[in-house]
Amino acid sequence: MNNRVALVTGASQGIGRACALLLAQHGARVVAGARQVEKLEQLVVEIRAAGGHAAAVPLDVTSEESISTAFRQAEAVFGKVEILINNAGITRDGLVMRMKRENWDAVIQTNLTGAFLCIQQALPGMVRARWGRIVNISSVVGEMGNPGQANYVASKAGLIGLTKSIAQEVASRNITVNAVAPGFIQTAMTEALDEKARERLLPLIPLGRMGTDLDVAHAVRFLVSDEAAYITGHVLDVNGGLRM
Ligand code: NDP
């Protein structure tokens, strides 16, 4: 990663944490952002102990002010953000007929508007540097739909549209914008699934298992690498074959 500065949102746990660790292992200087700062500090200790470079910044992607402060802090420590991983995400599941407006808004604001605002912060520096990598963490359900998750699915499908539009806007500046669409990955987010749901789900996955956070992180690492320089506007499925 050539000492590139990589900001990962939602790096306190799960997929974001795995991305931060892997990018640091590959030589990126990682800025880990999330609301649970203690967890970020532990991650930074872990990265530094392994000889990597990392810093923690408090970040709430639902607040424009917090996003702008986090980017200024990142810049002060390592310089302009060159790689942005929009990973922060939440679910507030429920059937549409009963979905509360606040649960619709919270999910769209965190998963979609948060990513948009982070991209707006990152782009000027990338445009000036004539180099940049943006990866948005979408979801297999953003491609398929999922009953009970209309707000989440809308946000994840929105991220795919955002990815393809921005990829076209900034391609001439040597900035690539891609999405990763994970399937069912073992993290706190899917721990909420009950045993019955798991039993229903597993036979639908040709590879016969849930994914790991590292399975997703490897795809992210590839998309931000020099080897992926000619890939933009792509949605990379990491789903064990759940959707082909
Ligand atoms: P987790 O719930 O384990 O992690 C979510 C992360 O998002 C946390 O680090 C959390 O940090 C952060 N986050 C949530 N809200 C905010 C906020 N307002 N500001 C900043 N950070 C925030 O979930 P996963 O690791 O599983 O999910 C990571 C991403 O992957 C999400 O976008 C999710 O939608 C997506 N995904 C996950 C799948 C799965 O099966 N697990 C499948 C497909 C996609 P903190 O609370 O510290 O702020």
Side-chain angles (χ1 to χ4, degrees), residues 48-233:
R48 288 186 184 153
H53 300 282
V57 295
L59 171 64
D60 180 350
V61 298
T62 64
S63 153
E64 214 166 331
E65 197 189 333
S66 168
I67 292 173
S68 138
T69 306
F71 271 81
R72 298 295 79 79
Q73 287 176 328
E75 201 179 317
V77 181
F78 289 138
K80 292 274 186 203
V81 171
E82 298 167 289
I83 297 169
L84 169 64
I85 314 299
N86 277 315
N87 163 81
I90 58 166
T91 53
R92 296 280 185 276
D93 296 351
L95 295 171
V96 164
M97 298 243 282
R98 274 184 251 129
M99 186 175 286
K100 292 205 167 72
R101 170 69 193 259
E102 68 205 54
N103 287 342
W104 171 269
D105 286 343
V107 169
I108 298 293
Q109 206 183 353
T110 304
N111 300 6
L112 184 57
T113 310
F116 159 72
L117 293 171
C118 287
I119 290 170
Q120 277 200 325
Q121 286 289 326
L123 275 180
M126 292 178 178
V127 166
R128 235 170 284 129
R130 290 282 192 277
W131 197 95
R133 294 276 190 273
I134 297 171
V135 176
N136 298 315
I137 306 298
S138 177
S139 167
V140 65
V141 300
E143 301 170 299
M144 297 168 67
N146 201 23
Q149 285 199 307
N151 49 358
Y152 182 76
V153 169
S155 74
K156 294 300 184 179
L159 276 175
I160 292 175
L162 187 73
T163 298
K164 293 183 179 183
S165 299
I166 299 177
Q168 292 177 45
E169 287 186 17
V170 299
S172 64
R173 310 301 161 98
N174 196 30
I175 300 165
T176 68
V177 189
N178 291 289
V180 169
F184 288 87
I185 310 298
Q186 252 167 335
T187 67
M189 191 174 268
T190 47
E191 256 163 39
L193 286 175
D194 59 29
E195 217 28 62
K196 270 195 189 150
R198 265 168 221 274
E199 277 169 22
R200 263 200 318 272
L201 205 65
L202 272 178
L204 303 177
I205 305 172
L207 284 177
R209 64 169 176 91
M210 290 180 78
T212 66
D213 49 16
L214 202 55
D215 287 326
V216 181
H218 281 302
V220 170
R221 188 212 60 79
F222 168 64
L223 287 173
V224 304
S225 71
D226 284 337
E227 289 82 359
Y230 202 55
I231 300 173
T232 196

